[in-house]
Amino acid sequence: MSRAVAVLRPEPGNAATVARVEAAGLTAIRLPLFDVRAVDWTVPDPDRFDALILTSANAPRLAGPGLDALVRLPVFAVGPATAAAARTRGLTIAATGDGDGAEIVATLTERGFTRALLLGGRERRVHAGGVVAEAITVYASDPLPMDPAGIASLAGAVALLHSARAAERLASLVGDARASIRLAAISDAVAAGAGPGWAGVAAAAMPDDASLVALARRLAD
């Protein structure tokens, strides 16, 4: 009997991943850990920057009309989902990373950019400094209250991890049940955020939802 697959990412991505999990013939546990919302922000002068860093698909999705003023800046996106969301806003992608913000910053430096603007979440792992001339919060991820029954349902499941923050929160919630839970992470960096003690941990071959669900299908057997 296959393990159930827990989808922990916020909406609207949660519903999309649940549909993908169920299309793969697996039972999905729908348990978003965070609620994502837009945050008011002030658009800086685009002429101060030579590139735009987007560390999550939530940034272009929730940045609002202010993003239009930055459309001329080449975008460095942390992963395919972020790049796709940026394209829907009319932005031009210069590079797409593997889900690691530090790797994107290194790419900017290697390519000679010196004054990048970062649009990201309130809690983020890349901050202003060096090639990142300024970092602005355009969305926030607030922890959702967890029903004990929902947490208990994770025992023996495969948990999908789309972010290091989700990995850290999951680890704080499940206690000793982690020994029965297998983790499918969207990248090695996200997997590392969960810490040790799980029944199994693996990272997707590519940092996208389809690869993550394919990995979960293997781990569920």
Side-chain angles (χ1 to χ4, degrees):
M1 183 176 178
S2 294
R3 293 172 177 244
V5 176
V7 183
L8 310 178
R9 69 188 304 199
E11 296 291 5
N14 191 285
T17 301
V18 165
R20 195 185 295 272
V21 167
E22 292 176 341
L26 300 168
T27 299
I29 299 171
R30 193 168 183 168
L31 193 68
L33 299 183
F34 299 96
D35 176 58
V36 179
R37 58 181 176 82
V39 170
D40 290 338
W41 62 290
T42 300
V43 183
D45 180 359
D47 292 336
R48 293 171 45 207
F49 308 101
D50 58 6
L52 180 62
I53 302 172
L54 298 176
T55 56
S56 167
N58 289 318
R61 184 172 67 84
L62 295 173
L67 189 60
D68 297 339
L70 305 173
V71 70
R72 71 167 184 79
L73 295 176
V75 171
F76 288 74
V78 296
T82 304
R87 288 190 186 97
T88 66
R89 293 297 309 272
L91 301 174
T92 300
I93 306 302
T96 302
D98 62 1
D100 187 336
E103 182 257 355
I104 276 293
V105 170
T107 299
L108 278 156
T109 302
E110 291 167 2
R111 294 179 56 170
F113 291 87
T114 60
R115 304 182 318 280
L117 170 65
L118 183 148
L119 300 184
R122 183 183 58 202
E123 291 80 21
R124 55 180 176 267
R125 296 172 189 277
V126 180
H127 302 278
V131 69
V132 183
E134 186 174 351
I136 298 177
T137 296
V138 298
Y139 72 91
S141 299
D142 298 319
L144 287 168
M146 289 290 109
D147 177 12
I151 298 302
S153 72
L154 298 176
V158 177
L160 301 187
L161 298 177
H162 285 79
S163 71
R165 192 161 175 238
E168 291 166 0
R169 187 165 191 223
L170 176 67
S172 74
L173 289 170
V174 297
D176 293 340
R178 71 171 60 200
S180 71
I181 300 170
R182 295 177 182 174
L183 301 182
I186 203 161
S187 70
D188 288 325
V190 168
W198 305 91
V201 181
M206 295 291 292
D208 58 52
D209 204 45
S211 297
L212 187 60
V213 173
L215 171 61
R217 187 173 184 178
R218 294 195 297 274
L219 292 176
D221 291 337

